[in-house]
Amino acid sequence: MKYYLGVDIGSVSSNFVLTNPRGEVVEAIYLRTMGNPVQAVRQGLSMVMKKYPETTIRGIGTTGSARRLAAVIMGADVVKNEITAHAVAASKFYPEVRTVVEIGGQDSKIIILRDGIVVDFAMNTVCAAGTGSFLDQQAMRLDIPIEHFGRQALKSKQLVRIAGRCGVFAESDMIHKQQMGYPVEDIIAGLCEALARNFLNNVAKGKDIQEPVVFQGGVAANMGMKQAFEKLLGKPVMVPQQYHVMGALGAAILASESITHRKGSRFKGCGFVLEGDFTTRSFECNGCPNMCEVVTIKRDEEVLAYWGDRCRRWEASLTEQRPALAW
Amino acid sequence: MKTIGIPRGLFFYYYYPLWRTFFEKLGVQVVVSAPTNRRIVDQGLLTAVNEACLPVKVYYGHVLDLCHRGVDYIFAPRLVSVEYRGYICPKFMGIPDMLRAQIPDLPPLIDIKVDLSRDERQLERDVFELGKLFGSDRYKVKAAWAAGQQELEEFRRIAAVGFPLNQAVTIWERAGEAPMASGDKTRLNPGGENIRTGGEASEATPRSSDLTIGVLGHGYSLCDAMVSMGLVRKLQELGARVVTAEMLKTDEVEAYASTLPKRMFWTLGKKNIGSALWMDEEPAVDGIIYLACFGCGPDSLVGEIIARRVVNTPFMMMIVDEHTGEAGVVTRLEAFYDMVARRKNAV
């Protein structure tokens, strides 16, 4: 059997999905990035490799904010932005989907599809308030495991109104309400609704939200958020079974699409990923007054990639020496 | 010979050929600040008022760059209006005052007021006064001004062929250094033709999709690669043909802008709205991106009007500020490009 591996390295979680050639999920792994994407890639890959030998991997796709880093380390066949990856994955489960709401660790996005094609999308702009990491932080402050956060919200009979416009205001509002003695589940339910309201007013502003609506990303684990969206939209909201790894699934599907056009994967193999010592360093290039901050990715002493040089002189120096790395 | 410094920011990208020609004809040596680099941005951020938008802060950096070069004067006009019944963002009016308040040991500022909202008489008077400063009589000033206007028209012709303003400035300058017939200037490849591809090409749908993306926003943000994070170049590298407001016919843009129920009184806002509506109805334009700077007053309105009125073409608003991490910009551009490409292939 041959498989495709999708890797989604996000700010909070790192996800790995192995699909068969029909695009069905055979393995899904959800890990915390813990601020160390290289470690996350290694850990995820070694977990996959325990069950599926290296030779069964036919192609690799990466997405998420560390998609380029992951691609360099592993040798990916496709590097794709999160919007496309999420849309592709949602269409896989729900071919009729017309709206995708995705809330991750630092990003939140809405994707509008018509007949399986993305026709519009929006992402949060300069502010990450109301995304997963804020919920994480609040769960920690209230000493409730984040996994139980949604369940708590569902217990609420009468939610408390929380200001959702800004994370700082939301937190102080929550503390005020808590110090007035409101039950914690009502505060949590209020927070969920505030975040959903904020999402609809900001990210989804002016978008034509039509059914079916699919809610995915790490925050979709929170039943309180699902309920809040259903209440505010007045429409049923579906959460796919693999909601937490949809980006990785999309990357795997995209990898399978690209491999059919080309032979052989660029996967560098397990040994390459698991054994070497990967380091990221940056330096200020003095070649011109731009003083670009150039990032260097190394495996032991071997330079894998240079990023950030606006003139591309560093990047080009690499591809000229070793054409094999020109991706 | 006296030297005058022109900061490479704000309306530089719209009027530099006029200013440069005018001053040179008066026998003044023109010094332009360096293309925006990290040092200029950092100095601008340190010096400028907090509430200003990024392009204004960067302008401060350019003024400081000129101070270090020891020029005799700095040209920082007080721009109020550059056309009848049209206005420029109020921050431009206050630029000379803001500079004087915040930069000690500033060389004398030439802060001639440009207000064409009613007529040109006041500007004419001020231009003659300015000429006197450099010892020129009325006839010489008149000739210098006329020569400047002529170069400005030449520059606009270059831009209209298909070059973003910053590229048009470079071409205009090169043309001045090595004179060629005016026909030759337009024979150059329109923007993007000789831009290198490859690199990150695998991140997006291949070039064969051949998309045309309209890019709007204030010229001084779009043309400054540090402010726009290389938006135009990134799109060109993805394989898109970029169309900007300057490449459209002025009268057509005006006609589309006048379909608004109320006249837009910001000159650049009007230009952007008119261009957006034109692009929205033009089948050859596959997508429109509007670049706004965080905290821009006019754009909070103009961007919103465009977002609501562009109905046929995919539209994306991008907001940039001081951050240097490009990941957010890259993700959005690639996603937009993919969307437009997949959509086009599906039709």
Side-chain angles (χ1 to χ4, degrees), chain B residues 253-313:
Chain B
V253 169
E254 285 281 337
Y256 274 97
S258 65
T259 60
L260 287 185
K262 181 173 175 279
R263 202 183 125 83
M264 172 54 65
F265 56 89
W266 287 302
T267 297
L268 295 183
K270 190 176 64 182
K271 194 168 171 177
N272 277 317
I273 289 178
S275 305
L277 298 179
W278 183 91
M279 288 172 178
D280 191 33
E281 289 197 2
E282 170 59 48
V285 176
D286 302 303
I288 303 172
I289 296 177
Y290 193 92
L291 179 84
C293 285
F294 183 68
C296 175
D299 271 351
S300 66
L301 236 136
V302 172
E304 196 58 40
I305 292 175
I306 292 177
R308 289 182 194 193
R309 287 186 177 254
V310 168
V311 285
N312 307 314
T313 314

Side-chain angles (χ1 to χ4, degrees), chain A residues 67-68 79-84 117-121 123-124 205 254 289-291 310 312 327, chain B residues 36-39 199-200 203 225-226 233 237 304 316 331-332 334-336 338-339 342-343 346:
Chain A
R67 59 184 180 275
R68 289 184 70 190
V79 188
K80 212 51 160 178
N81 62 79
E82 302 92 296
I83 304 268
T84 311
I117 299 288
V118 178
V119 294
D120 199 4
F121 71 85
M123 276 175 93
N124 55 334
K205 183 181 61 178
L254 288 164
N290 276 335
M291 296 186 296
R310 292 213 275 143
R312 301 279 163 83
W327 50 277
Chain B
T36 312
N37 55 47
R38 184 73 53 77
R39 196 181 301 130
E200 295 146 275
E203 287 218 28
M226 289 293 279
R233 199 187 79 167
E237 280 177 356
E304 196 58 40
M316 179 170 74
T331 299
R332 284 164 178 80
E334 284 173 11
F336 187 77
D338 275 357
M339 170 179 84
R342 283 185 166 236
R343 198 174 140 128

Side-chain angles (χ1 to χ4, degrees), chain B residues 230-264:
Chain B
L231 173 73
V232 170
R233 199 187 79 167
K234 287 193 171 83
L235 280 172
Q236 288 173 338
E237 280 177 356
L238 285 171
R241 212 176 13 246
V242 171
V243 179
T244 63
E246 285 71 33
M247 300 173 196
L248 310 183
K249 290 203 176 76
T250 318
D251 50 339
E252 288 180 10
V253 169
E254 285 281 337
Y256 274 97
S258 65
T259 60
L260 287 185
K262 181 173 175 279
R263 202 183 125 83
M264 172 54 65

